[in-house]
Amino acid sequence: METIQEQYAETVKQAQNAMLAGFDTWIQAYEQVFSQLPTAAPTKPEQMIDQVYDFAGKLLDAQRVFAKQLVTSGTAAAETFQNCLTQAAGSASQGTEKAYRGRPYG
C-alpha cells in the first residue's frame, strides 16, 4: 500500500504530465497557425484585413483547444488528489479509533 506522500507525489506528477501535454498541444497549434502566414504582404487592404481576421480566428481556435485540454487534465488531477485526501482522512480516522479503543476509559 502506498503512503500518503507517495500518493501525493504521484498526483503531482500526473498533473505535471497533463500540463506538459496541454502545452505541447498549444505549441503545435501555434506552429501550425504561424506556418500558414503568407510570406508576401497582400497588395490590397481588403486582403490584409481578411488575413488578419483569419489569423486571429485560427489563434483563438488553438487557444480554445488548449483551454479545454487544460480543464480536462486539471479536473482529472483534482479528482485524483481528492481521492488521495479522502483515503488519507479515512486512514487517519481508523488509526484514531484504534488508539482510542485501546485506552482504559474508552
Side-chain angles (χ1 to χ4, degrees):
M1 184 171 166
E2 290 184 321
T3 66
I4 300 301
Q5 291 84 1
E6 291 169 338
Q7 291 174 351
Y8 178 75
E10 182 61 29
T11 301
V12 170
K13 183 179 176 182
Q14 289 175 0
Q16 289 172 339
N17 288 338
M19 289 290 290
L20 288 175
F23 283 123
D24 285 341
T25 300
W26 186 62
I27 289 169
Q28 290 172 1
Y30 273 91
E31 286 175 349
Q32 182 181 8
V33 168
F34 282 112
S35 71
Q36 295 174 2
L37 289 176
T39 54
T43 56
K44 295 182 180 181
E46 293 85 7
Q47 288 177 326
M48 182 177 279
I49 291 169
D50 287 341
Q51 287 182 357
V52 167
Y53 276 89
D54 289 345
F55 174 73
K58 289 177 183 178
L59 204 57
L60 192 57
D61 287 342
Q63 289 176 337
R64 178 186 297 132
V65 169
F66 173 70
K68 286 182 178 181
Q69 186 173 15
L70 196 60
V71 167
T72 300
S73 300
T75 301
E79 288 174 358
T80 302
F81 183 67
Q82 179 63 39
N83 289 340
C84 288
L85 290 177
T86 302
Q87 289 176 357
S91 296
S93 175
Q94 289 174 357
T96 303
E97 287 177 20
K98 287 179 183 177
Y100 183 73
R101 279 190 242 137
R103 299 223 171 225
Y105 301 109

